[in-house]
Amino acid sequence: MKMQSDVTYYLDKLNKSKFRRGFRLSQPDYLYIQKTGIAAISSHAKEFIDVRLSPANPKNDGKQTPFKNHPVFIAQHATATCCRKCLNKWYGIPKGQLLTALQVDFCIELIMTWIVIQLDSM
């Protein structure tokens, strides 16, 4: 499995998916990031991954990530880090196993890179 050094590879691959490339940060998301700060957004991403994605069998897997109300949620859908099924399909990360620290870091880096790209395009 490719990891952190290949975030660009995966973002390019995700951009070929009509569904994944359809996600964009909204103006309220942008304002929230400006107000909260990128470091806090990264901290939120870690918290969401730790609670909603990292467990071997997350509660409500496949439905645990909302489609709105936080920029990280939007980024998770855009980067296929929203549920264990998507992690398995896109990155080969098996279901039924606790995410490793490297896998968690990879998800956070992917999410945050997508967010920064979005901010730069606004």
Side-chain angles (χ1 to χ4, degrees), residues 13-72:
K13 187 176 172 184
L14 290 158
N15 199 39
K16 292 181 174 101
S17 164
K18 185 177 180 180
F19 177 73
R20 301 289 169 196
R21 76 172 174 261
F23 290 97
R24 298 275 182 266
L25 292 179
S26 67
Q27 188 64 23
D29 292 328
Y30 176 76
L31 295 173
Y32 178 76
I33 294 168
Q34 271 192 320
K35 177 183 170 190
T36 308
I38 201 75
I41 298 300
S42 181
S43 178
H44 296 167
K46 177 161 180 24
E47 180 182 334
F48 295 151
I49 296 298
D50 285 346
V51 172
R52 297 171 182 253
L53 202 63
S54 187
N57 296 296
K59 182 179 178 187
N60 298 323
D61 193 29
K63 296 180 172 98
Q64 74 265 48
T65 305
F67 280 89
K68 57 184 178 178
N69 297 330
H70 199 288
V72 171

Side-chain angles (χ1 to χ4, degrees), residues 82-100:
C82 47
C83 68
R84 295 304 294 265
K85 179 179 177 183
C86 290
L87 283 180
N88 183 261
K89 175 183 175 181
W90 285 89
Y91 309 107
I93 297 174
K95 294 171 76 172
Q97 297 176 8
L98 183 69
L99 292 183
T100 67

Side-chain angles (χ1 to χ4, degrees), residues 5 8 14 24 33 36 66 73-74 81 84 94 98 106 108 117:
S5 63
T8 303
L14 290 158
R24 298 275 182 266
I33 294 168
T36 308
F73 296 153
I74 307 306
T81 57
R84 295 304 294 265
L98 183 69
F106 170 72
I108 294 165
I117 289 168

